[in-house]
Protein backbone atom coordinates (compact mmCIF):
# COMPACT_ATOMS: atom_id res chain seq x y z
CA UNK A 1 0.00 0.00 0.00
CA UNK A 2 1.29 3.45 -0.90
CA UNK A 3 1.54 6.00 1.89
CA UNK A 4 2.24 9.69 1.77
CA UNK A 5 2.67 12.33 4.41
CA UNK A 6 0.16 15.19 4.34
CA UNK A 7 1.79 18.30 5.76
CA UNK A 8 -0.25 21.16 7.12
CA UNK A 9 0.28 24.18 9.31
CA UNK A 10 1.04 23.01 12.81
CA UNK A 11 1.85 19.38 12.04
CA UNK A 12 1.54 16.48 9.65
CA UNK A 13 -0.73 13.52 9.10
CA UNK A 14 0.00 10.16 7.48
CA UNK A 15 -2.41 9.44 4.63
CA UNK A 16 -2.90 6.07 2.95
CA UNK A 17 -4.94 7.01 -0.13
CA UNK A 18 -3.35 8.34 -3.30
CA UNK A 19 -5.42 10.97 -5.15
CA UNK A 20 -6.66 9.72 -8.52
CA UNK A 21 -6.46 13.06 -10.35
CA UNK A 22 -4.56 16.31 -10.08
CA UNK A 23 -4.95 19.76 -11.61
CA UNK A 24 -2.33 22.07 -13.10
CA UNK A 25 -2.33 25.53 -14.66
CA UNK A 26 -1.01 25.86 -18.22
CA UNK A 27 -0.02 28.94 -20.19
CA UNK A 28 -1.96 28.43 -23.45
CA UNK A 29 -1.31 31.83 -25.07
CA UNK A 30 1.39 34.40 -24.51
CA UNK A 31 -0.28 37.54 -23.15
CA UNK A 32 -0.28 40.75 -25.18
CA UNK A 33 -0.76 43.52 -22.64
CA UNK A 34 -2.27 42.42 -19.33
CA UNK A 35 -2.75 38.64 -18.93
CA UNK A 36 -6.36 37.52 -19.40
CA UNK A 37 -8.11 34.40 -18.11
CA UNK A 38 -8.14 33.02 -21.69
CA UNK A 39 -4.32 32.93 -21.61
CA UNK A 40 -4.43 30.12 -19.05
CA UNK A 41 -6.11 26.73 -18.74
CA UNK A 42 -6.71 24.57 -15.68
CA UNK A 43 -6.21 20.96 -16.77
CA UNK A 44 -6.90 17.72 -14.96
CA UNK A 45 -4.67 14.67 -15.31
CA UNK A 46 -4.39 11.27 -13.62
CA UNK A 47 -2.02 10.99 -10.67
CA UNK A 48 0.23 7.94 -10.68
CA UNK A 49 2.19 6.50 -7.80
CA UNK A 50 5.66 8.10 -7.65
CA UNK A 51 8.56 5.95 -8.88
CA UNK A 52 11.29 4.82 -6.50
CA UNK A 53 13.20 7.83 -5.14
CA UNK A 54 10.46 10.34 -6.08
CA UNK A 55 7.80 12.11 -4.03
CA UNK A 56 4.30 13.41 -4.64
CA UNK A 57 3.63 16.98 -3.52
CA UNK A 58 0.26 18.67 -3.08
CA UNK A 59 0.30 22.45 -3.21
CA UNK A 60 -2.28 24.32 -1.18
CA UNK A 61 -1.52 27.78 -2.56
CA UNK A 62 -0.40 29.11 -5.94
CA UNK A 63 1.31 32.45 -6.55
CA UNK A 64 2.25 34.26 -9.73
CA UNK A 65 4.80 36.93 -8.92
CA UNK A 66 5.47 40.00 -11.11
CA UNK A 67 8.83 38.60 -12.29
CA UNK A 68 6.89 35.80 -14.03
CA UNK A 69 5.77 38.34 -16.66
CA UNK A 70 9.20 38.19 -18.31
CA UNK A 71 9.11 34.38 -18.34
CA UNK A 72 5.84 34.45 -20.33
CA UNK A 73 7.53 36.24 -23.26
CA UNK A 74 8.42 34.21 -26.36
CA UNK A 75 12.12 35.18 -26.55
Amino acid sequence: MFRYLKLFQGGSQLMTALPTTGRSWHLVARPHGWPKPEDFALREAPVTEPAEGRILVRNLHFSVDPYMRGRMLAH
Side-chain angles (χ1 to χ4, degrees), residues 3-70:
R3 290 190 172 142
Y4 69 97
L5 189 63
K6 179 180 178 185
L7 300 175
F8 58 91
Q9 187 174 3
S12 62
Q13 178 181 359
L14 184 63
M15 305 296 288
T16 57
L18 181 68
T20 56
T21 60
R23 297 178 297 170
S24 59
W25 284 102
H26 293 257
L27 179 65
V28 295
R30 299 209 183 268
H32 298 284
W34 286 97
K36 302 176 294 306
E38 311 70 73
D39 296 330
F40 304 92
L42 182 60
R43 296 182 178 158
E44 195 167 290
V47 173
T48 58
E49 188 169 323
E52 184 68 32
R54 297 190 175 243
I55 63 170
L56 178 64
V57 176
R58 179 179 183 183
N59 293 326
L60 299 179
H61 302 282
F62 178 72
S63 172
V64 178
D65 300 314
Y67 94 94
M68 293 295 290
R69 175 67 181 177

